[in-house]
Amino acid sequence: ILSIWGWGSLGIVLFLITFGPFVIFYLTFYILCFVGGGLVVTLLFGKTNSEKYLEQCEHSFLPPTSTGVPKCLEEMKREARTIKIDRRLTGANIIDEPLQQVIQFSLRDYVQYWYYTLSDDESFLLEIRQTLQNALIQFATRCWGYSSE
């Protein structure tokens, strides 16, 4: 340990004798100026160049949209789809109404709360309802078929 301290102190003494007693202040000042200047140049030069590059990218890479797409979207919005939902599931009204309520509450509690943050279009919800109803109809049909045998 003494040799480490000896060599370290010898190095510091030779450093101070060679470069002078104010070398620590100068060295600190030079390092701060280098880092500060680098940051200023990077921020200012990088900001202006990136803004110019982004302006060029916006105009050069993306072609202008055609007029057909907005017209097609307007046509799709104007078309009012008639919603036709068959509420029969099992054929027994006493069972169908509670099942419809279960489907309605399930969609409300598990799908609508996150789906309406994505879109206002009702077609997805109608497709899910129709899929659930078809599954229940198939289940009821197969259960009815097995019970009569």
Side-chain angles (χ1 to χ4, degrees):
I1 294 181
L2 186 60
S3 65
I4 294 174
W5 284 103
W7 284 108
S9 60
L10 178 64
I12 291 172
V13 168
L14 289 176
F15 183 79
L16 289 176
I17 290 173
T18 305
F19 297 109
F22 296 108
V23 72
I24 296 172
F25 300 113
Y26 292 137
L27 190 60
T28 306
F29 178 71
Y30 293 149
I31 290 173
L32 287 175
C33 286
F34 178 78
V35 171
L39 285 174
V40 167
V41 167
T42 302
L43 290 176
L44 292 179
F45 186 70
K47 181 183 175 194
T48 56
N49 277 350
S50 64
E51 288 173 351
K52 288 177 186 175
Y53 181 73
L54 285 174
E55 285 178 11
Q56 290 174 354
C57 287
E58 282 180 17
H59 301 300
S60 65
F61 294 138
L62 297 175
T65 58
S66 64
T67 58
V69 173
K71 286 183 182 179
C72 183
L73 288 174
E74 287 177 23
E75 287 290 325
M76 289 174 58
K77 287 180 182 176
R78 267 191 265 147
E79 286 181 12
R81 287 183 27 187
T82 57
I83 300 170
K84 201 164 94 175
I85 298 175
D86 188 11
R87 298 189 62 85
R88 294 175 295 161
L89 297 172
T90 62
N93 197 22
I94 197 166
I95 297 173
D96 288 349
E97 287 305 315
L99 280 176
Q100 286 293 341
Q101 285 182 350
V102 168
I103 291 173
Q104 178 183 354
F105 293 149
S106 298
L107 286 174
R108 181 194 68 191
D109 295 341
Y110 296 110
V111 177
Q112 286 178 354
Y113 82 94
W114 61 263
Y115 179 70
Y116 283 135
T117 61
L118 301 175
S119 175
D120 293 333
D121 189 22
E122 296 283 331
S123 62
F124 176 72
L125 297 172
L126 292 174
E127 291 294 327
I128 289 179
R129 177 182 285 275
Q130 192 65 38
T131 303
L132 285 172
Q133 287 180 350
N134 288 339
L136 286 171
I137 290 169
Q138 288 297 319
F139 180 73
T141 303
R142 293 191 181 182
C143 287
W144 184 258
Y146 288 125
S147 65
S148 65
E149 291 178 1

